[in-house]
Amino acid sequence: MILTKAQYDEIAQCLVSVPPTRQSLRKLKQRFPSQSQATLLSIFSQEYQKHIKRTHAKHHTSEAIESYYQRYLHGVGKNGAAPVLLELANEVDYAPSLMARIILERFLQEHEETPPSKSVINSLLRDPSQIPDGVLANQVYQCTVNDCCYGPLVDCIKHAIGHEHEILLRDLLLEKNLSFLDEDQLRAKGYDKTPDFILQVPVAVEGHIIHWIESKASFGDECSHHAYLHDQFWSYWNRFGPGLVIYWYGFIQELDCNRERGILLKACFPTDIVTLGHGAAAP
Amino acid sequence: MAAVLESLLREEVSVAAAVRWIARGAQSSEGDAGEAAALSSLRPLRKEFVPFLLNFLREQSSRVVPQGPPTPAKTPGSSAALPGRPGGPPRGGRGARSQLFPPTEPLSAAAEAPAARRGGRRRGPGQARERGGRGPGSLEEGVGGESPLWAGSRRPRAAGSPSRARSDPPNLSNLEEFPPVGSVPPGSAGRTKPSRRINPTPVSEERSLSKPKTCFTSPPINCVPGPQPSVLDSSPWGQGLTAGCRSLQEEREMLRKERSKQLQQSPAPACPTPESGSSLPTRTGNLTAEPADPAKVSSRQRLELVALVYSSCIAENLVPNLFLELFFVLQLLTARRMVAAKSSDLEPSPGVLGSPESPLFQSVHDCVFFAVQVLEHQFQVLSCLDKGTLKLLAENERLLCFSPALQGRLRAAYEGSVAKVSLAMPPAVQAVSFQPETDNRANFSSDRAFHTFKKQRDVFYEVLREWEDRHEEPGWDFEKGLGSRIRAMMGQLSAACSHSHFVRLFQKQLLQMCQSPGGAGGTILGEAPDVLSVLGADKLGRLRRLQERLAAPQSSGGPCPPPSFPGCQAFFRDFILSAGSFQFNQHLMDSLSLKIRELNGFVLPQPEASEEDGEADVDWQGERRQFAVVLLSLRLLAKFLGFVAFLPYRGPEPPPTRELQDSILALRSQVPPVLDVRALLQQGLRAHRAVLTVPWLVEFLSLADHIVPMLDYYRSIFSLLLHLHRSLVLSKDSDGEMCFLNKLLLLAVLGWLFQIPTVPEDLFFVEEGQVDVFEMDTETSEHGLDGVPVVDQHLLYTCCPYIGELRKLLAVWVSGSSGRSGGFVRKITPTTTTSLGAPPLRTTQGLQAQLAQAFFHNQPPSLRRTVEFVAERIGSNCVKHIKATLVADLVHQAESLLQEQLVTQRQEGGDPGQLLEILCSQLCPHGAQALTQGREFCQKKSPGAVRALLPEETPAAVLSSAENIAVGLAIEKACTWLSANITALIRREVKAAVSRVLRAQGPEPAARGCRRGCSRA
């Protein structure tokens, strides 16, 4: 799914106005029927994350935290089973998982002598049954389950998808008989930066030499691509030469502008591969 | 000089003897006693002859409207510094030296001025003086002295020579023509041009003792007051030159006596040449070229003689820069017209026009005649120029008109030239690959150092990418854009070990990016595409011009550009400057020095003692390429080493006072050199490896500061280089000597070095006689390179892109207009050369080649060496194998066929020469099998060799790719040679067999057959 910048902007524009719910996603699919669900979901998620990043600070002022905590206490005081926290998050337009984290932190501050560490919070979010307060545990659980962009569940899903695509890529490489070193092997050899795969023998994709392949199970928008370029892709180039990035859920066409320089973008495993000593596609 | 010329003209001394004298001093054992005597009296003046001759020629041609840049620019923008112009900075002389021709603009002013000046400057009848208000007066006298001889027909020209009738006897009795030095010839303001180009500066005490030095170079110019005495007075040469003047005066005295003697015998002055009138300035017709006509040449003998002396000086390497002289000569050849600045002076006294005082070049015809004469003598060098230049020369209508013979030779050279057109794409910028052996955590002292270096690598490339993107933007500034980021990064390098890591990265990246000519911003060579010849002649010029504009990166600074950092090199230079890190510089110098030493020890794979010359060729292409890579790397590294090493001392100006200079010298002379280049040079010379060592040494020295050449250590280096320069006589071609192109490369780079602003001007002419000559080992040194044809034309042009200026000059001539703004100014922003070859090879073959290159990128360097080694050996063995099998079989066949033929032929009485032809026509087609068999051989042999040599642990995919590449390279090597040579090889072998057989049959027919065979083969 390679989108032009204009197409992408249209989708992103559309997302600004809707809340981050499954219903919104469904509507989006109707609006852009030609786009795959995965692409739309990825864009949806990225846009939402941008939105949250923009508003993050305002939810973390001590006044805001205090007011959220009081509303939570008030809410559960009335009805502990009602989705108080989830509704609060939706009402103030903040990610439920993050709202749960704010309240949990505030709660622990009140009930423990020492301020809770990040890892403690994370493990409690991952497994709410460990939370000492049953009502809060339930509220947190409702939040993490209903959040489609943040939270341990989403992280887990994302990780799984990422891994799945790496496996997919590995299988394709093996199938094409292209030998490679994977990340773990590279780390063992002491490489300081490690793409998913380094090809032991470079190939040409669409006429461009590539030495490495990085798999990204997401949509390549400007924001994430630039971050990746800076932190990963150029670093790979700096060490191993030109390479290929596969954004399995597509990318903005205009970002594929570094081909001559040595960063090639694709939305799928390439078909036009020329190997050393062979004119046509893989042996 | 005048006296010498005079002796020449009187035929007391032959040109050869004179040149010998100039070159090696008076004691010319070979010459006869009379010659020696004639010359020995002039001994004190010996050294000044060449600079004087060069100045004289420049001076004489100052009225030529040249095309091309007013180069060579030793100091760019030096035109403002000409001594003859108001407001010139005090050091004008230096600038002047770099100037072949005065800028066009003042010339045209001069051209338009005569009418206005006419009134005030009339002279007495019979005294048209052609002095330009500056120095060459004495020279003109010298030249003038010859005329009577011509009139007396002592050196007869071929009958019908038009110039003969016009020979101009001098008016010797005229004091005004030969005024005492120091007297101001009235109204000689016709020219406003500076005359001095070669301009020795008295630099140190000891040198200023060598009195003659000042004599011929400086004083003649400055002691003779010009039209603007005030300006001259303010010139740095205005004082302290009395000694020189005196010796000049002595010479003039001698001349005058000589002349008066001659006068008694010389016939009356002949009529003046009608020519000069034609050179009236035309203000319209901007720079359209005047046609040149051999019939209108004035005083041929004089021109011929000067051309001969000049050419001999060039041939003996008595001139500092061979290519500069060629450039000058080509400027004369392509002169648009002459400015008739002197017409005012000449008009009133037509009777003496063309007198000895008359200029050497009176018209464009003279210039062209002289140029063609010199070119004829320099044919050997010309024939080594690139195909494009040869074509332009051969097509030059003036050259054709003046010397059809030379044109024919040039045409033949052009047709025979195997032009190496290099359109190879410079590889895109590649990063230095990460090699776990040197780059992983184990190579760092701490985790922190490891991670710091990780970040640094990324910042370095980020900076590099930004530079690539932006350095051509107007207004972008390296320091402003990247300086702080670079310094922040350098600041993190604390541990020495991190420095060495970073320096290694830096140096490797430097080599990767700048080694290829494309990366260095070099020019693309070659001739104009053949399309041009298909098109009509009128379009040709325009197309050429367009092509020139497209192909030429902004014209380099003329034939002697100052040292520069073209292309990507600028990034590394600016990086060093912006980083401003002492530690970094030190580590960099260490690293560069080590690498230079390592590469300087480069040894060519020993060419096997091949019984037959043919087979050695198999290895040549590869070895030449290898040599070229090493040489170019060395030059690059040495340039940067010179840059960093002399960076703390560099300044635009030499120290202002002697005291300051002395104290600096005292300080500097105790600092050990960064790399013992003298020892390396001495070793190189002794081991016959100058062709490798000198070019990089020149790069190193070119970045030295003003003090360096005065330091004893470096002086001795220059002295060695000067000796070497003198010894590289191109025409000498004895065994064991240096190959022609090797010599030419050294002459070009040395000539360039001698023109560098920081190299004292007089160094070339003064430094001599120090007989600490290097002893060349007479026994053939094992790893000698000088006698091996390692330099090809492509390498020559890559190392010396300024030679391409010759072609540009000729191309501009073709294009018909050098433009008002001075010729080389291009209105179209030239695209860089890379864009010409831009569409990268996307063909299957090109891609495979790229893949093969890329394959080695992330592999350890040893892998590449192994593969190349295998390919080279297998390829070579393949040829041997083919000779031993296929060719041997064919020879057997030939012998039996011959036996049959002989039996029949005996009866018919056929011709053995024909026999050979018949045999060859039957057998040579079988040569085609050689390719198939060669391919099979390489396919069979290479993989095993690769497998045996690579580590056991090599991954299978890597191994098989390495094998494939080795097979491909071996096939390429073998088949390239076979397809080019197999027919000749078979022919040769068959011929040998035929003569063997015939000899066995009987002596008589064998001889006949052989002779015929030989003449045909």
Side-chain angles (χ1 to χ4, degrees):
Chain A
M1 267 326 115
I2 302 172
L3 305 181
T4 64
K5 179 80 171 69
Q7 283 175 315
Y8 171 81
D9 283 343
E10 198 187 346
I11 296 173
Q13 198 54 45
C14 185
L15 282 168
V16 172
S17 48
V18 296
T21 58
R22 295 198 173 83
Q23 293 83 346
S24 305
L25 196 62
R26 237 171 274 131
K27 270 185 227 152
L28 200 67
K29 253 211 105 192
Q30 284 159 12
R31 172 90 195 274
F32 301 99
S34 60
Q35 310 300 344
S36 78
Q37 160 124 354
T39 301
L40 289 175
L41 180 59
S42 185
I43 296 174
F44 175 88
S45 164
Q46 284 165 352
E47 289 305 307
Y48 185 69
Q49 284 172 45
K50 282 181 215 163
H51 169 72
I52 293 299
K53 263 181 212 148
R54 278 194 300 271
T55 56
H56 175 82
K58 105 177 168 196
H59 298 293
H60 280 258
T61 60
S62 48
E63 296 84 28
I65 291 172
E66 202 49 44
S67 123
Y68 296 154
Y69 190 56
Q70 291 309 321
R71 285 182 64 179
Y72 157 76
L73 288 177
H74 183 70
V76 292
K78 277 205 279 190
N79 180 4
V84 177
L85 210 46
L86 184 62
E87 277 167 9
L88 174 63
N90 285 337
E91 190 196 317
V92 301
D93 194 14
Y94 198 52
S97 298
L98 300 179
M99 182 59 85
R101 179 187 285 270
I102 290 175
I103 300 303
L104 180 61
E105 262 181 40
R106 177 70 184 75
F107 173 84
L108 292 176
Q109 267 173 25
E110 201 170 272
H111 292 86
E112 317 263 322
E113 307 86 56
T114 52
S117 74
K118 242 199 167 92
S119 58
V120 171
I121 303 269
N122 282 342
S123 71
L124 291 180
L125 283 172
R126 229 176 286 131
D127 181 8
S129 65
Q130 304 294 317
I131 296 173
D133 182 281
V135 175
L136 180 58
N138 187 34
Q139 292 290 329
V140 168
Y141 182 69
Q142 284 172 348
C143 280
T144 52
V145 166
N146 283 292
D147 193 326
C148 56
C149 293
Y150 282 93
L153 271 170
V154 174
D155 287 346
C156 203
I157 292 167
K158 280 184 179 169
H159 189 264
I161 294 175
H163 193 66
E164 184 190 337
H165 282 87
E166 276 178 41
I167 301 290
L168 183 70
L169 178 55
R170 173 192 299 269
D171 289 348
L172 285 162
L173 289 171
L174 289 171
E175 186 191 315
K176 299 282 180 194
N177 209 8
L178 301 174
S179 64
F180 55 82
L181 294 171
D182 66 24
E183 238 177 320
D184 296 333
Q185 290 169 303
L186 292 172
R187 238 175 251 128
K189 286 190 169 204
Y191 282 77
D192 58 356
K193 285 274 185 176
T194 51
D196 289 331
F197 301 99
I198 287 188
L199 300 174
Q200 283 184 321
V201 180
V203 297
V205 171
E206 291 164 18
H208 296 272
I209 305 282
I210 60 160
H211 287 278
W212 49 266
I213 305 180
E214 177 77 2
S215 161
K216 290 286 173 218
S218 63
F219 180 85
D221 70 344
E222 282 161 310
C223 185
S224 60
H225 185 63
H226 284 133
Y228 283 141
L229 272 178
H230 184 265
D231 297 333
Q232 299 185 353
F233 307 156
W234 284 128
S235 294
Y236 302 154
W237 185 94
N238 297 343
R239 288 158 179 78
F240 317 113
L244 167 70
V245 176
I246 303 179
Y247 279 112
W248 295 102
Y249 296 152
F251 56 90
I252 299 174
Q253 201 175 24
E254 281 82 351
L255 294 177
D256 191 14
C257 58
N258 286 309
R259 286 187 158 221
E260 297 304 326
R261 263 228 166 124
I263 308 273
L264 183 66
L265 303 189
K266 294 286 293 176
C268 59
F269 192 79
T271 48
D272 174 16
I273 297 180
V274 177
T275 55
L276 189 56
H278 300 90
Chain B
M1 143 128 189
V4 176
L5 277 183
E6 191 137 334
S7 301
L8 284 168
L9 287 159
R10 280 200 312 272
E11 292 187 337
E12 279 172 13
V13 177
S14 69
V15 169
V19 173
R20 257 199 322 272
W21 171 73
I22 299 157
R24 295 185 257 294
Q27 58 286 64
S28 50
S29 50
E30 317 117 74
D32 68 84
E35 284 181 339
L39 289 168
S40 61
S41 62
L42 301 168
R43 194 164 176 191
L45 308 170
R46 194 169 67 80
K47 277 185 188 168
E48 290 77 37
F49 183 84
V50 175
F52 206 91
L53 175 66
L54 300 185
N55 279 338
F56 168 68
L57 289 172
R58 262 60 157 189
E59 169 67 21
Q60 288 293 301
S61 59
S62 63
R63 290 190 303 126
V64 168
V65 177
Q67 54 168 5
T71 41
K74 172 161 174 180
T75 41
S78 61
S79 61
L82 298 174
R85 290 170 76 192
R91 286 186 57 247
R94 294 183 74 84
R97 163 186 170 190
S98 65
Q99 199 100 358
L100 257 191
F101 284 103
T104 6
E105 158 255 316
L107 261 181
S108 50
E112 293 172 11
R117 292 194 194 123
R118 204 163 282 176
R121 237 171 316 111
R122 205 155 287 187
R123 308 241 184 85
Q127 285 142 50
R129 287 199 26 91
E130 257 306 302
R131 324 204 51 159
R134 98 200 72 250
S138 64
L139 207 357
E140 286 163 13
E141 287 163 12
V143 173
E146 67 203 47
S147 294
L149 297 175
W150 298 345
S153 296
R154 281 221 241 149
R155 305 191 60 172
R157 282 291 298 171
S161 162
S163 69
R164 197 174 161 188
R166 265 188 247 126
S167 293
D168 319 313
N171 186 349
L172 293 166
S173 54
N174 194 325
L175 256 188
E176 244 199 42
E177 282 180 34
F178 307 103
V181 178
S183 78
V184 189
S188 53
R191 282 190 264 162
T192 46
K193 272 305 104 211
S195 54
R196 293 193 340 125
R197 270 98 216 167
I198 293 166
N199 213 346
T201 323
V203 187
S204 63
E205 192 66 43
E206 68 190 281
R207 284 191 201 187
S208 60
L209 287 176
S210 66
K211 179 189 88 173
K213 175 196 65 193
T214 36
C215 166
F216 262 109
T217 45
S218 308
I221 291 138
N222 298 289
C223 291
V224 181
Q228 292 148 304
S230 58
V231 174
L232 277 177
D233 285 351
S234 71
S235 85
W237 319 111
Q239 298 141 349
L241 296 166
T242 40
C245 288
R246 217 177 297 126
S247 75
L248 183 73
Q249 193 150 14
E250 283 163 20
E251 200 195 13
R252 284 176 181 230
E253 277 306 327
M254 278 161 45
L255 251 174
R256 215 169 284 128
K257 277 181 210 145
E258 199 55 56
R259 240 178 243 116
S260 61
K261 265 188 262 162
Q262 286 168 18
L263 189 62
Q264 284 144 22
Q265 325 154 350
S266 70
C271 287
T273 49
E275 206 105 319
S276 55
S278 69
S279 54
L280 273 168
T282 35
R283 293 177 204 197
T284 53
N286 177 36
L287 291 176
T288 43
E290 213 174 89
D293 182 354
K296 292 183 180 167
V297 173
S298 56
S299 58
R300 276 179 177 249
Q301 289 93 333
R302 193 163 66 140
L303 287 167
E304 273 171 6
L305 183 82
V306 179
L308 183 57
V309 173
Y310 180 51
S311 302
S312 307
C313 289
I314 295 176
E316 287 280 335
N317 295 328
L318 297 171
V319 300
N321 188 330
L322 164 68
F323 287 100
L324 186 54
E325 300 310 316
L326 282 183
F327 188 81
F328 170 68
V329 169
L330 289 187
Q331 280 190 309
L332 287 180
L333 177 71
T334 59
R336 297 277 167 198
R337 57 178 60 246
M338 293 282 274
V339 175
K342 291 302 160 303
S343 57
S344 54
D345 295 333
L346 297 170
E347 267 169 35
S349 53
V352 271
L353 184 78
S355 74
E357 279 292 286
S358 69
L360 183 63
F361 304 123
Q362 299 193 1
S363 61
V364 164
H365 321 293
D366 290 0
C367 292
V368 175
F369 178 77
F370 177 82
V372 172
Q373 289 283 310
V374 178
L375 290 178
E376 278 183 343
H377 293 296
Q378 299 302 326
F379 175 76
Q380 208 185 358
V381 175
L382 296 182
S383 65
C384 288
L385 297 176
D386 69 306
K387 213 167 178 178
T389 312
L390 284 174
K391 184 172 191 165
L392 289 167
L393 265 176
E395 283 170 355
N396 187 293
E397 66 278 10
R398 282 181 169 175
L399 197 138
L400 174 63
C401 179
F402 278 73
S403 175
L406 178 59
Q407 194 268 349
R409 292 163 80 195
L410 285 167
R411 177 156 295 257
Y414 161 72
E415 278 153 10
S417 157
V418 272
K420 292 219 166 161
V421 181
S422 159
L423 277 171
M425 262 285 285
V429 176
Q430 282 240 329
V432 173
S433 76
F434 182 97
Q435 296 291 338
E437 305 84 79
T438 51
D439 294 338
N440 72 12
R441 169 68 185 83
N443 294 284
F444 289 84
S445 55
S446 65
D447 277 341
R448 201 171 139 248
F450 181 56
H451 287 290
T452 305
F453 182 63
K454 176 173 88 180
K455 275 185 223 138
Q456 269 154 357
R457 184 195 282 261
D458 288 330
V459 173
F460 177 66
Y461 284 111
E462 186 187 304
V463 165
L464 177 55
R465 271 190 295 269
E466 184 162 337
W467 175 83
E468 268 196 299
D469 288 341
R470 308 200 53 190
H471 73 279
E472 271 163 342
E473 285 174 19
W476 188 81
D477 179 65
F478 189 97
E479 171 52 37
K480 263 187 226 151
L482 303 172
S484 56
R485 236 181 300 167
I486 289 172
R487 276 186 296 277
M489 180 190 80
M490 298 307 287
Q492 293 173 323
L493 291 169
S494 46
C497 128
S498 311
H499 270 293
S500 68
H501 276 286
F502 183 74
V503 159
R504 198 180 57 229
L505 177 72
F506 186 86
Q507 184 176 305
K508 280 190 175 170
Q509 191 65 38
L510 173 70
L511 279 173
Q512 270 188 18
M513 279 174 78
C514 305
Q515 200 177 48
S516 68
T523 36
I524 285 175
L525 302 175
E527 60 180 321
D530 281 341
V531 198
L532 288 181
S533 35
V534 180
L535 289 164
D538 54 294
K539 283 182 189 145
L540 208 127
R542 269 154 73 190
L543 267 172
R544 278 267 164 75
R545 201 165 30 189
L546 185 62
Q547 205 226 354
E548 274 299 308
R549 283 177 179 168
L550 291 175
Q554 299 94 316
S555 181
S556 49
C560 283
S564 64
F565 292 85
C568 307
Q569 294 179 20
F571 170 80
F572 294 92
R573 175 201 58 196
D574 292 342
F575 187 98
I576 293 167
L577 289 175
S578 279
S581 160
F582 167 75
Q583 292 98 320
F584 172 61
N585 289 357
Q586 187 60 50
H587 280 269
L588 186 58
M589 284 191 288
D590 297 347
S591 175
L592 289 167
S593 301
L594 183 69
K595 189 77 183 167
I596 288 171
R597 276 183 185 281
E598 181 190 316
L599 289 176
N600 190 52
F602 166 76
V603 174
L604 273 182
Q606 278 299 291
E608 307 135 67
S610 54
E611 340 75 76
E612 280 141 301
D613 45 337
E615 161 185 2
D617 279 3
V618 197
D619 301 330
W620 271 118
Q621 274 315 325
E623 281 164 17
R624 268 208 198 116
R625 203 172 46 220
Q626 233 180 314
F627 175 83
V629 168
V630 170
L631 181 73
L632 294 175
S633 304
L634 273 169
R635 279 166 54 90
L636 181 69
L637 296 171
K639 184 194 222 174
F640 273 88
L641 180 62
F643 175 67
V644 181
F646 300 119
L647 190 58
Y649 308 108
R650 277 183 77 82
E653 298 282 317
T657 65
R658 169 64 57 86
E659 291 73 29
L660 200 53
Q661 182 183 300
D662 287 347
S663 67
I664 294 173
L665 274 175
L667 274 172
R668 293 283 298 279
S669 54
Q670 43 129 26
V671 180
V674 56
L675 171 68
D676 193 355
V677 286
R678 183 169 65 185
L680 290 174
L681 173 63
Q682 282 163 340
Q683 283 165 22
L685 291 171
R686 230 176 284 130
H688 298 273
R689 292 165 61 84
V691 71
L692 182 64
T693 302
V694 170
W696 70 253
L697 180 60
V698 163
E699 290 290 299
F700 175 78
L701 293 173
S702 75
L703 285 153
D705 57 272
H706 289 92
I707 295 295
V708 166
M710 299 176 213
L711 297 168
D712 286 342
Y713 178 84
Y714 289 103
R715 269 189 88 125
S716 60
I717 291 177
F718 275 103
S719 176
L720 283 172
L721 291 178
L722 285 165
H723 275 289
L724 176 69
H725 181 262
R726 186 64 65 79
S727 72
L728 296 169
V729 176
L730 288 168
S731 53
K732 263 197 244 159
D733 193 21
S734 54
D735 283 332
E737 267 254 355
M738 212 182 274
C739 302
F740 189 83
L741 277 169
N742 295 8
K743 278 189 199 171
L744 204 55
L745 172 68
L746 293 190
L747 282 179
V749 295
L750 286 172
W752 175 76
L753 178 68
F754 298 143
Q755 299 290 327
I756 298 287
T758 44
V759 176
E761 288 139 3
D762 58 346
L763 186 122
F764 181 82
F765 295 106
V766 167
E767 199 81 32
E768 200 194 358
Q770 302 182 4
V771 206
D772 54 339
V773 193
F774 45 91
E775 289 116 36
M776 295 265 211
D777 279 0
T778 33
E779 69 254 42
T780 44
S781 71
E782 211 178 329
H783 302 306
L785 293 167
D786 291 348
V788 185
V790 280
V791 177
D792 60 10
Q793 191 187 70
H794 187 244
L795 184 60
L796 175 69
Y797 273 73
T798 307
C799 292
C800 314
Y802 33 85
I803 300 176
E805 293 292 312
L806 300 176
R807 185 176 56 129
K808 285 188 203 158
L809 197 62
L810 292 165
V812 171
W813 169 255
V814 170
S815 71
S817 157
S818 56
R820 274 160 229 209
S821 40
F824 271 70
V825 176
R826 300 174 194 284
K827 281 138 214 146
I828 299 174
T829 313
T831 12
T832 52
T833 51
T834 47
S835 63
L836 256 191
L841 296 167
R842 289 285 150 80
T843 58
T844 319
Q845 261 191 336
L847 201 56
Q848 284 297 322
Q850 282 184 38
L851 277 171
Q853 284 298 314
F855 168 69
F856 292 111
H857 180 67
N858 286 325
Q859 302 294 344
S862 62
L863 178 71
R864 178 186 217 124
R865 286 199 297 271
T866 306
V867 168
E868 284 175 347
F869 174 73
V870 167
E872 114 95 39
R873 291 322 311 153
I874 300 285
S876 183
N877 292 346
C878 172
V879 171
K880 286 202 192 87
H881 179 70
I882 297 288
K883 281 175 77 174
T885 54
L886 178 70
V887 177
D889 285 352
L890 290 175
V891 170
H892 281 307
Q893 279 184 45
E895 280 167 355
S896 47
L897 277 172
L898 187 66
Q899 297 289 358
E900 292 168 23
Q901 291 274 335
L902 280 175
V903 174
T904 46
Q905 207 182 41
R906 277 271 160 67
Q907 292 140 12
E908 295 158 21
D911 179 1
Q914 261 177 0
L915 254 180
L916 179 65
E917 287 307 312
I918 294 166
L919 285 176
C920 286
S921 64
Q922 279 177 0
L923 295 175
C924 285
H926 294 290
Q929 291 170 24
L931 296 185
T932 337
Q933 291 185 12
R935 192 166 285 131
E936 278 166 17
F937 180 90
C938 295
Q939 275 162 350
K940 201 170 76 200
K941 295 285 182 182
S942 308
V946 171
R947 223 170 297 138
L949 291 172
L950 288 184
E952 278 296 302
E953 293 69 31
T954 310
V958 174
L959 187 62
S960 87
S961 297
E963 288 171 12
N964 287 341
I965 293 173
V967 168
L969 288 176
I971 290 178
E972 186 192 318
K973 186 181 165 74
C975 288
T976 308
W977 190 89
L978 286 173
S979 58
N981 297 299
I982 189 70
T983 308
L985 182 67
I986 293 174
R987 207 187 160 81
R988 199 178 64 197
E989 296 292 319
V990 169
K991 197 174 83 193
V994 167
S995 10
R996 259 199 316 276
V997 172
L998 290 180
R999 213 177 295 125
Q1001 298 281 323
E1004 195 270 336
R1008 259 166 53 207
C1010 183
R1011 217 176 302 130
R1012 276 162 217 252
C1014 294
S1015 64
R1016 233 165 284 182

